[in-house]
Amino acid sequence: NELILYLMDVRLMIKIYKRGGEYMKKQQHTRVRLKASVKEMLKQNPTQAINIKSISAASHISRTSFYANFENMDDLIYELHDDFISGIGDIYKKDLHTACHPVSQSTLMAVSEYIHSNQSLIQFLLHEEGLDLFMKRTYLRNIKFITQFFNLNGINISQQKKHQMKIIIIGCVHSIYQDLPECKTEDIYITLKNAYSLFFDFILDRAS
């Protein structure tokens, strides 16, 4: 009898685990749909028209389901911003093994095209977050990736150098985003190239 009860408990635990996994997959799918709807809406609607009600209608996902996945609109915006920066990081990853040399031209161009193709999203983030918060989040996400980039190649960056990096990153981001949507892919590429020249020619060569 004890064995039977034990086996029943195990079967119940497996069932609960499977249902939990299915729920997590469904929830993740819902989050992806909600974020995709925002990006699609931005192609045709002004940023002011993007809100929980309009997102729910466009994605055919109830507001109840929205709140089951995101605490509020700010939570969704934060994740959209994080996804955007992660996309840039994914492009850079292929150059991780060459941290002591300038980032390749093809990678910088790919990043420039990625930024240019996401102009409507960037403008939406700027509108919702405000310039200061947008810059802060962008800097913190970038500095985390860049520090990992250096550490993987045995390069230790001092606090003084990190402060200089902050100035470069914020200057680069501000230079690109203040000119949107007029900024072209080539303009973004030149700005990124100049920023990385500062990284490699000044900070990395003199890291201490």
Side-chain angles (χ1 to χ4, degrees):
N1 289 338
E2 289 183 2
L3 178 60
I4 292 173
L5 289 172
Y6 173 76
L7 291 174
M8 288 175 65
D9 287 342
V10 170
R11 289 177 63 184
L12 180 61
M13 288 175 65
I14 291 173
K15 186 180 291 186
I16 292 172
Y17 177 78
K18 285 183 177 179
R19 286 182 178 176
E22 291 171 0
Y23 174 77
M24 291 297 290
K25 287 181 180 178
K26 184 178 179 181
Q27 189 176 41
Q28 183 61 32
H29 178 66
T30 301
R31 294 173 80 89
V32 170
R33 281 178 59 193
L34 286 166
K35 290 186 288 185
S37 292
V38 173
K39 293 178 183 178
E40 192 62 32
M41 291 171 69
L42 286 170
K43 296 178 182 178
Q44 308 172 43
N45 300 279
T47 56
Q48 296 87 340
I50 312 296
N51 51 52
I52 294 174
K53 183 178 179 180
S54 62
I55 294 169
S56 296
S59 61
H60 303 291
I61 294 173
S62 69
R63 295 179 69 174
T64 301
S65 293
F66 178 96
Y67 284 112
N69 286 273
F70 296 101
E71 185 176 339
N72 48 39
M73 192 66 182
D74 287 340
D75 192 23
L76 170 61
I77 291 167
Y78 181 86
E79 192 160 314
L80 283 167
H81 196 156
D82 198 55
D83 287 350
F84 170 68
I85 301 298
S86 293
I88 294 176
D90 289 341
I91 298 172
Y92 280 130
K93 281 178 182 177
K94 66 179 182 179
D95 277 347
L96 281 174
H97 63 287
T98 57
C100 292
H101 304 282
V103 176
S104 67
Q105 180 177 338
S106 60
T107 296
L108 287 180
M109 183 54 71
V111 172
S112 302
E113 291 171 350
Y114 174 80
I115 292 173
H116 192 265
S117 67
N118 281 280
Q119 287 190 71
S120 58
L121 174 61
I122 294 168
Q123 290 178 301
F124 173 67
L125 294 173
L126 278 166
H127 177 268
E128 294 297 320
E129 297 176 335
L131 180 61
D132 289 343
L133 181 57
F134 177 86
M135 296 293 284
K136 181 180 179 181
R137 285 180 174 174
T138 301
Y139 162 71
L140 290 174
R141 196 67 175 78
N142 273 281
I143 197 67
K144 181 178 179 181
F145 172 76
I146 291 170
T147 301
Q148 291 174 342
F149 181 77
F150 294 150
N151 289 341
L152 282 172
N153 290 270
I155 300 170
N156 182 38
I157 305 298
S158 66
Q159 287 301 318
Q160 181 182 359
K161 297 299 181 185
K162 286 182 180 178
H163 177 69
Q164 292 166 335
M165 286 168 62
K166 179 178 181 179
I167 294 172
I168 295 172
I169 292 171
I170 290 179
C172 176
V173 172
H174 193 273
S175 178
I176 291 172
Y177 298 148
Q178 72 176 347
D179 293 329
L180 291 175
E182 291 80 12
C183 199
K184 299 178 181 178
T185 302
E186 293 76 13
D187 300 324
I188 298 172
Y189 170 79
I190 292 171
T191 301
L192 288 175
K193 185 178 180 181
N194 290 336
Y196 275 90
S197 291
L198 288 173
F199 277 142
F200 290 98
D201 294 343
F202 177 67
I203 292 178
L204 285 183
D205 290 345
R206 304 179 189 179
S208 59

